[in-house]
Amino acid sequence: MWGWKKKEQVFFINKDKTLKPIKTNLKNVACINHFYKFEDGSGSLEEKFFSVIDDKAPKVIKKIISKEYDSKLNDEDKINLIKYISSQIIRVPFHFESIEIFDSAFKKQITDGVSLFEEGVKSKFLHSIIESTKQYTDILCKLSMKVLKNSSCEFVIGDNPVMVFEHNNNVVSNGESAASINGKIFMMPLSPNDMLIYFDPLFENEISAYMKVSNYVQFSQSSQLVFGRNAELLELKLKEYYSYSYDFIRNTSPDLLLESKVKRGDPISICKPQYVFEGQALEVLKEFANRKLT
């Protein structure tokens, strides 16, 4: 993350629990023990998959955020960076929790007699990382790339750091173990002042607008944690997140606010997506459950 070392001191906010930034070293909050370890004892993606990606990409990022960067990378650097960004889209707690929520909805609405994922939620998550990283690598390789340096303001970065825009819910799937969002703009902060962007040239004019809301998006799409070097900025952006969340709820589900005493600016968060199965999807899942049960 931003080339920070595990023992480096950073500020972080848990958007659901803390109102003030907390200073600690990165390892204490950003490293989740055994998160990529297979439950059957067959090892961990840390050794099987991430070891090469995580070794090569930080060197490229260090080159990009240096003062000497001249907007040029060799082909090896480009692909190493793309693989790293691709993995960052899918290896995050938010994705794991989304699979958990989907499986929970299946058990609640269809049956709790079987799991939607035969191998289990954790194994499904780990296998999807490998396949989706390959899919996102293919997507990003087809896009243009640039880095925008912004000295007038700082970026924050959350635990779900890659932002995907202009996708219209267009999903690419291999039909089985992985699905990826085919966006036209992908953005991720590389440092407090450097934003990496992959984009379709037809959408280049939209980038500046997304840059302006990037800090809010880091808060809104994070699972819990948002990091930064500036405590005051984190606190300010948390308050903005509360206000924008209130506006979103007011515009989409105003009745929720009428039933509460929450005011604009009060601590409030938008929960993770929930699933309700209807129509053909519901029937397909019922048939799937019946086959498993019989």
Side-chain angles (χ1 to χ4, degrees), residues 113-126:
V114 296
S115 173
L116 183 58
F117 308 111
E118 186 172 337
E119 71 271 40
V121 170
K122 182 66 174 293
S123 183
K124 170 66 177 178
F125 167 63
L126 296 177

Side-chain angles (χ1 to χ4, degrees), residues 88-101:
Q88 288 292 329
I89 300 172
I90 205 71
R91 68 194 284 183
V92 292
F94 185 92
H95 177 56
F96 174 66
E97 291 161 7
S98 296
I99 296 176
E100 278 191 314
I101 292 171

Side-chain angles (χ1 to χ4, degrees), residues 210-226:
Y210 291 123
M211 286 277 288
K212 293 177 182 177
V213 298
S214 65
N215 283 340
Y216 166 71
V217 176
Q218 288 295 323
F219 268 95
S220 65
Q221 72 177 28
S222 68
S223 178
Q224 285 187 318
L225 305 180
V226 184

Side-chain angles (χ1 to χ4, degrees), residues 54-88:
D54 291 352
D55 177 63
K56 294 182 177 180
K59 300 171 185 176
V60 183
I61 293 174
K62 186 176 181 180
K63 183 186 299 185
I64 290 174
I65 65 178
S66 70
K67 295 180 180 179
E68 291 75 28
Y69 178 61
D70 59 1
S71 301
K72 295 180 181 179
L73 294 175
N74 60 45
D75 290 342
E76 183 179 1
D77 284 346
K78 289 178 181 178
I79 193 63
N80 287 334
L81 185 61
I82 283 176
K83 288 180 179 179
Y84 178 75
I85 300 301
S86 297
S87 75
Q88 288 292 329

Side-chain angles (χ1 to χ4, degrees), residues 33-208:
N33 292 331
H34 311 302
F35 189 55
Y36 303 113
K37 187 176 182 179
F38 286 93
E39 293 176 324
D40 61 5
S42 61
S44 169
L45 285 189
E46 292 283 5
E47 296 87 25
K48 292 184 174 183
F49 189 66
F50 294 133
S51 57
V52 176
I53 293 175
D54 291 352
D55 177 63
K56 294 182 177 180
K59 300 171 185 176
V60 183
I61 293 174
K62 186 176 181 180
K63 183 186 299 185
I64 290 174
I65 65 178
S66 70
K67 295 180 180 179
E68 291 75 28
Y69 178 61
D70 59 1
S71 301
K72 295 180 181 179
L73 294 175
N74 60 45
D75 290 342
E76 183 179 1
D77 284 346
K78 289 178 181 178
I79 193 63
N80 287 334
L81 185 61
I82 283 176
K83 288 180 179 179
Y84 178 75
I85 300 301
S86 297
S87 75
Q88 288 292 329
I89 300 172
I90 205 71
R91 68 194 284 183
V92 292
F94 185 92
H95 177 56
F96 174 66
E97 291 161 7
S98 296
I99 296 176
E100 278 191 314
I101 292 171
F102 195 84
D103 188 57
S104 177
F106 173 81
K107 291 177 179 178
K108 183 177 180 180
Q109 298 176 47
I110 310 298
T111 177
D112 60 0
V114 296
S115 173
L116 183 58
F117 308 111
E118 186 172 337
E119 71 271 40
V121 170
K122 182 66 174 293
S123 183
K124 170 66 177 178
F125 167 63
L126 296 177
H127 284 114
S128 70
I129 289 175
I130 298 174
E131 294 302 319
S132 289
T133 295
K134 295 176 182 176
Q135 290 182 350
Y136 278 117
T137 296
D138 290 340
I139 291 172
L140 295 185
C141 280
K142 298 174 184 176
L143 300 177
S144 299
M145 178 210 128
K146 67 179 177 181
V147 176
L148 292 183
K149 294 181 177 288
N150 191 344
S151 58
S152 62
C153 70
E154 288 190 14
F155 302 119
V156 301
I157 186 168
D159 57 19
N160 183 20
V162 182
M163 301 170 284
V164 187
F165 302 112
E166 300 292 345
H167 51 77
N168 291 323
N169 294 317
N170 184 7
V171 174
V172 177
S173 174
N174 64 6
E176 189 171 336
S177 61
S180 305
I181 301 173
N182 192 10
K184 301 301 181 183
I185 299 175
F186 292 77
M187 301 171 62
M188 176 177 162
L190 296 183
S191 83
N193 303 110
D194 297 88
M195 182 72 76
L196 174 66
I197 305 166
Y198 292 93
F199 63 98
D200 182 327
L202 294 176
F203 292 82
E204 187 170 9
N205 291 337
E206 308 301 324
I207 291 174
S208 60

